[in-house]
Amino acid sequence: MPELPEVESIRRGLAEHLVGRRILGARAFGTRVIRRAPQGLAPVVGRTVRAVVRRGKFLWCDMGEDLALLAHLGMSGQFRVDEPGEEESTAGQRRHLRARFELDNGLLLDFVDQRTFGYLAPVTFQATADGQPGGAGSKRAVVPAPVAHIARDLLDPYLDESALLDILGTTRRALKRVLLDQEIVSGIGNIYADEMLYRARIHPEATALPAAAAQALLNAGREVLEAALAAGGTSFDQLYVHVNGESGYFERSLQAYGRAGQPCARCGAPLQKITLGGRSTTLCPVCQVAPVG
């Protein structure tokens, strides 16, 4: 599933093409993509995109007047933008096409989703508890109502870091499970949780951390997310691509995730795979010492 670097890369690509553009037409292909939208996509027709915003793994187009087009990519959702004249040779033949938007400059915006877990929904806004901007790409102090429970992420300038450090210092849950909880800190999934724990030399099953270790974990998380964002995210296959069809290349820099059995880059010990909370987790048994008891 796309995580923060992948979704933010897509947000930036969409913002480049959509901000200031009016939607002339919207069509869903099948009902699954609009399963959370009783009115379908009709409410966004005629509206102009004011901003493209992200909170955690959610994206939305701010249409003004308390309306947003919310998108969740699921496991394989993609947005693809076609230049004028390309639709007959590419978009017209595109497999797994779930929705299409016609823009006022002739571009087509397609939502493609092979596994169909993603969805689109016109939704209303809700004020945030802290009254600060709603997410990356927005100056509004609101978020779409279905996203109100999602926490800020490690790259959000309005993140309450002290509160997050308190949680990391007192939790009785395994730290990897805390990092994956989108209501505590958003945007982190299996890939980047493994990477930040490895970089901070913290075992995924560890619980409450001393203050210095908790701060080191957050610092490692920011480093990993910023590096992945600079690389355009992680693409293992064509299920995740940017709006222009290009893949991210952070896979080349992964030090833990997916490398079970390979040598640790620090100590040379074979990396180990365990299962935690139903998810596979990769760690170094030497550098990431298991908690006692």
Side-chain angles (χ1 to χ4, degrees), residues 143-161:
V143 297
V147 185
H149 67 292
I150 299 296
R152 296 181 182 277
D153 61 66
L154 292 180
L155 302 185
D156 191 322
Y158 295 102
L159 172 72
D160 187 343
E161 183 168 311

Side-chain angles (χ1 to χ4, degrees), residues 13-204:
L14 288 175
E16 180 181 347
H17 290 285
L18 297 185
V19 173
R21 300 266 64 91
R22 190 159 61 94
I23 296 178
L24 300 183
R27 179 182 178 189
F29 297 89
T31 59
R32 185 161 174 78
V33 70
I34 53 171
R35 61 189 180 275
R36 302 188 183 214
Q39 296 179 307
L41 301 176
V44 304
V45 175
R47 294 295 192 96
T48 298
V49 178
R50 296 174 43 164
V52 183
V53 191
R54 177 190 58 77
R55 171 67 71 91
K57 302 176 186 179
F58 285 87
L59 283 170
W60 65 89
C61 293
D62 183 342
M63 302 290 187
E65 299 180 16
D66 294 326
L67 180 71
L69 176 63
L70 181 67
H72 194 286
L73 302 178
M75 296 182 68
S76 60
Q78 303 174 14
F79 281 105
R80 301 292 296 276
V81 176
D82 288 297
E83 298 291 340
E86 290 185 349
E87 61 270 18
E88 292 184 3
S89 60
T90 57
Q93 304 298 319
R94 181 160 288 152
R95 298 180 62 193
H96 310 301
L97 180 62
R98 308 302 176 193
R100 170 169 288 174
F101 301 88
E102 301 172 19
L103 307 180
D104 61 357
N105 60 352
L107 290 177
L108 295 177
L109 173 67
D110 285 350
F111 183 69
V112 180
D113 189 3
Q114 178 177 332
R115 297 184 180 175
T116 70
F117 291 113
Y119 62 86
L120 304 172
V123 295
T124 57
F125 282 107
Q126 179 172 318
T128 57
D130 55 18
Q132 298 294 345
S138 174
K139 294 182 180 180
R140 301 187 62 173
V142 289
V143 297
V147 185
H149 67 292
I150 299 296
R152 296 181 182 277
D153 61 66
L154 292 180
L155 302 185
D156 191 322
Y158 295 102
L159 172 72
D160 187 343
E161 183 168 311
S162 62
L164 181 54
L165 288 170
D166 286 343
I167 292 172
L168 296 177
T170 58
T171 183
R172 295 183 179 182
R173 299 167 64 191
L175 282 171
K176 181 170 181 181
R177 301 187 73 170
V178 173
L179 295 176
L180 296 178
D181 188 335
Q182 302 301 296
E183 295 186 24
I184 293 177
V185 59
S186 67
I188 301 171
N190 217 29
I191 296 174
Y192 299 111
D194 278 5
E195 291 298 303
M196 62 189 288
L197 287 162
Y198 173 84
R199 187 171 295 208
R201 300 175 181 246
I202 295 171
H203 196 281

Side-chain angles (χ1 to χ4, degrees), residues 209-225:
L209 293 174
Q215 187 64 64
L217 180 59
L218 295 192
N219 293 344
R222 289 193 178 94
E223 291 171 1
V224 168
L225 294 173

